[in-house]
Structures are given as structure tokens and as C-alpha cells.
Amino acid sequence: MTKNSHIDYASVDKDYLRHRQLKKGAAGWILLAGLGIAYVISGDFSGWNLGLAAGGWGGLLIAFVLMGIMYTCMVFGLAEMSSTLPTAGAGYGFARRAMGPLGGFATGMAVLIEYAVAPAAIATFIGGYIEALGLFGMTNSWPVYLVTYIVFIGIHMWGVGEALKLMFGITAIAIVALLVTVFGLIPHFEPGNLFDIVPDGSAGSSAFMPFGISGTLAALVFGIWFFLAVEGVPLAAEESQDPKRDMPKGIITAVIFLVFSGAAMLILVPGVAGAEAMSVSGSPLPEALREAYGQNSALANFVNYAGLAGLVASFFSIVYAYSRQLFALSRAGYLPRVLSLTGSRHTPWVALLVPGTIGFILAAVIRNGDQLINIAVFGATVSYVLLNLSHIVLRIKEPDLTRGYRTPGGIITTSIALVLAVVALIATFVVDILAAGITAGVFVLALAYFWFYSRHRLVASAPEEEFAILESEENALK
């Protein structure tokens, strides 16, 4: 065992990393942009509209603008860090280099909570869309959750190249559905429909913000749903063709698309069907089209079926993301090493199965997409605070580090994102203090596991650890 500061590195055999290899060169920047869009596109089809019940249309609009600024600023920082430290650990790797093992593990665990729970929320929305279509006579969606997990985890085990290409095709169908929705709703848009929720008389309430300031703060969680998980693009670094060039182009292209698609849904869907009606809808896009064209609308039926593609695309891609984050943390010894084993097709099969099982149980037991969103967003906002802090620390600590891309505005940009991330983290407790509190407890238990156990058993040869050790040795020579 070798020591480094307050951590210990365990000895591993020469075959350790050979059994933990991902497939190189599977994705160029276009596939990476598609991956970033796929992570999030389900947020355009369902989930965001629940924010209308929290903050009204004006409150959700403010939340969308603030979170859009946060994500855009953060993505510029991630583009820099992923072009500089291109490993499967992504956020964990960036924070590990900037803030040491504890900061790295905390960031990785926050991301893992987000990515393990988000597919469970999406599974409930898939069930809602299937029930809306009247398929299979479904009245209880847990079989849908089970089939969804089994099928799409199975495809990921088949191979990353095949999975990413299939994901790209599914995402293309979802984009077509969004375009059809936009052009179908524009002729029927009525601005007055945006403000049909009656103000509740709380502080700051009005027709624009019917639930006042507190409602707008609560809506931040749902503003995040328009963008949640786009930050996962760097997790594909070890499987990309040229991460220094492809990562910035891929993730920035994705967030630009998501800003425009989210704005279109936020304005047009309640602008046709009414904010109040959409605030409780399980399938808002098809319902808005039915309001415009009638209950038997072929356009609405098409978007309902194609909307499933959007939900599937996000589910499918976030499964990819959680497996890579768990793989990286396990490979480096922060979590049990068995979780990072890869099969003959270089896919992390254990890291696919374990969070998938947990996610299915959460979906089947909780069956509440609203609550699951808040759990996922809690993990996300913790990671956003740490990711933006990592960029700032790296810029100050290592100004001469060779960077493949530099964030416009430097640390000012990521400081804006940091402040907004802190506000969003507070908002998770406003929306559901029980869900946020329990998730915070799980996060603290994970940190205790690291502090008392795994920090004494890390693997120095893991890429993220090698990056950090190299930096430490270079500083010692100065």
C-alpha cells in the first residue's frame, strides 16, 4: 500500500485495468451532441409542466431563464475541463484534480444520485404516456418500468457504439415530434391562456406569478428539468474519438438546442391548452394538440407515440451516464471495485445492472414523477455547486494547465453558475423537504463510507487518480 496525503493507495494486480476497459473512439462530436440532447429531451415532453402548478407560467418562465443561464455558464466550464481532463470520471475527475479525493468523491456521488434516480422519474412518465395511449389496457405501470429497464440496459450491454447510434436515431424521432408540435400549435396560440391560474394571494402573487415569490423559487426545480443531465456528455470522454476537440463542440451544441426547444414548449403548450390544465397533465404535448385539433387528432396521436421516443431517448442515455460514473468511481476504488468490471464487449455490465435495479424499485414503489424529479434535482444541484467550484479552483490553482478549450469569461462565467446552483439547491427543500432531506442523508452516508473505508483503498493507476498524482508530483518539484 502507498500513501498520498490523507489517503492510501492499494496494490492491484497487472490485469486490474485490463478487465476495466471501455471502447475507444466510439463517438465523434455529432454523436456527443446527440447524447447531450438525448439526456434531456424527455424534459420537453413531460415533467416541466408540473412547474406550472408550483409557480404558474410566469414563475416557471423566470425559473427557465435563470436555470438556462446557469446551465449555459456551467457548460462552458465543463467544455474546458472535459477538454483538459478527458476521463470517464468526468465531474468526479474534475473535482478530484481541483479539490482532492473528498471533493471528487462528493461530486461523483451527487452525479450518481442524479443519474440513478432520473431514469426512475422518466419511467413513470413513459408509463403515463402509454396509459394515455390506452396501450395494453394498462392501469398500473410497473410492468412498463420493468420492461423499459430490461430492454434498454440489455442494449447497452450489447455495445457502446451500437447503443449510441440507436440512441441518436431515437432522439431524431423525438426532435421531429417537437418540430411537429411547434408548427401545429403556433396557429392556435393565445397569450391569455398563459395566465389562467388564479393568484393565491401570497407575497408577490399576480396573474403573471400566481403563487408569488415562493412559487417561483419552487419552480426552479422544474426549470432544471428542461436541462437536467446535459452535463453528462463528458462521461463519454474515454469513448470519444478526439475529446479535446469533440467534447466542447458536442456539449455546447446540445445546450443551445435545449434552450430553444425548452422555450418553445414553455410558451406554446400552455399558450394553447392553458397553464392550469397543463399543470396536472401526464402528457402535455399531445393534450395541447388535442385541445387545438380535437380528441381524435392524428397529429396528437403521432406526437404521443413519438413522445415516447423522447422519453426513451433520455432514459436510454442516462442509463449510459450512470453506468460510466459508477464505473469510474469503482475503478478508482471509491466504491466497491467489482462494480467496474467490463465484459467482452467493453461495457460496464455490473455498473449498468446495480443502479438499474435500484431505479426500478424506486419507480415501482414511489410511482410519483414529481417526487422523483426532486430527488434527482437535489443530487444534480449539489454536483453543480461542486463542478462550478472545480472550474474556479482549477483556474486559480493551475493557470498554466494546458487546456483544449477556454471558457468565455473565465471564472466570472462559472461564478454566475455557482450562485444560481446554490439557489437551486435551496429550492429543492422548498418543493419537498422530506425527499430532499432523505436524499441529503443518503449523500452524507456515502461521504462517511469514503472517509472511514474507501479512502484507504484507492487505486493509483485509475486515470483520474493518475491525473491528480501527476499534478501533486509536479507541484512538489516546483
Side-chain angles (χ1 to χ4, degrees), residues 209-379:
M209 292 167 51
F211 305 115
I213 297 169
S214 61
T216 301
L217 184 61
L220 288 176
V221 170
F222 301 96
I224 285 174
W225 196 245
F226 283 106
F227 306 98
L228 184 81
V230 69
E231 73 279 1
V233 173
L235 289 163
E238 288 186 31
E239 294 158 290
S240 64
Q241 293 171 3
D242 183 357
K244 289 186 181 295
R245 177 179 61 88
D246 293 341
M247 279 295 160
K249 289 173 68 175
I251 194 169
I252 292 171
T253 299
V255 82
I256 291 171
F257 173 89
L258 294 167
V259 167
F260 283 101
S261 65
M265 296 304 104
L266 176 59
I267 294 169
L268 291 173
V269 172
V272 171
E276 185 173 19
M278 292 298 92
S279 70
V280 294
S281 173
S283 51
L285 277 59
E287 285 191 27
L289 288 166
R290 290 190 181 99
E291 180 68 24
Y293 295 99
Q295 289 301 308
N296 297 318
S297 164
L299 202 63
N301 287 334
F302 167 75
V303 170
N304 207 338
Y305 281 101
L308 279 172
L311 295 169
V312 165
S314 288
F315 181 94
F316 191 44
S317 55
I318 297 175
V319 165
Y320 169 87
Y322 77 54
S323 68
R324 270 51 183 183
Q325 186 66 86
L326 181 55
F327 165 82
L329 286 169
S330 169
R331 179 177 62 180
Y334 288 87
L335 292 173
R337 295 177 204 161
V338 67
L339 297 172
S340 58
L341 287 173
T342 54
S344 60
R345 300 184 68 85
H346 299 292
T347 56
W349 63 275
V350 185
L352 283 163
L353 285 174
V354 172
T357 302
I358 294 169
F360 166 69
I361 292 171
L362 286 173
V365 172
I366 296 177
R367 296 173 58 191
N368 183 329
D370 192 343
Q371 194 168 56
L372 289 167
I373 285 175
N374 202 53
I375 294 171
V377 168
F378 175 85

Side-chain angles (χ1 to χ4, degrees), residues 109 113 117 362 365-366 371-372 374-376 378-379 382 425 428-429 432-447:
M109 278 307 304
I113 289 171
V117 177
L362 286 173
V365 172
I366 296 177
Q371 194 168 56
L372 289 167
N374 202 53
I375 294 171
F378 175 85
V382 171
L425 175 59
T428 63
F429 289 91
D432 188 340
I433 191 169
L434 178 61
I438 291 173
T439 312
V442 171
F443 183 66
V444 170
L445 287 175
L447 295 182

Side-chain angles (χ1 to χ4, degrees), residues 166-193:
L166 178 60
M167 173 277 301
F168 196 82
I170 297 170
T171 304
I173 296 171
I175 291 172
V176 169
L178 291 179
L179 292 173
V180 167
T181 301
V182 168
F183 289 110
L185 293 181
I186 284 175
H188 300 273
F189 176 74
E190 294 288 345
N193 290 333

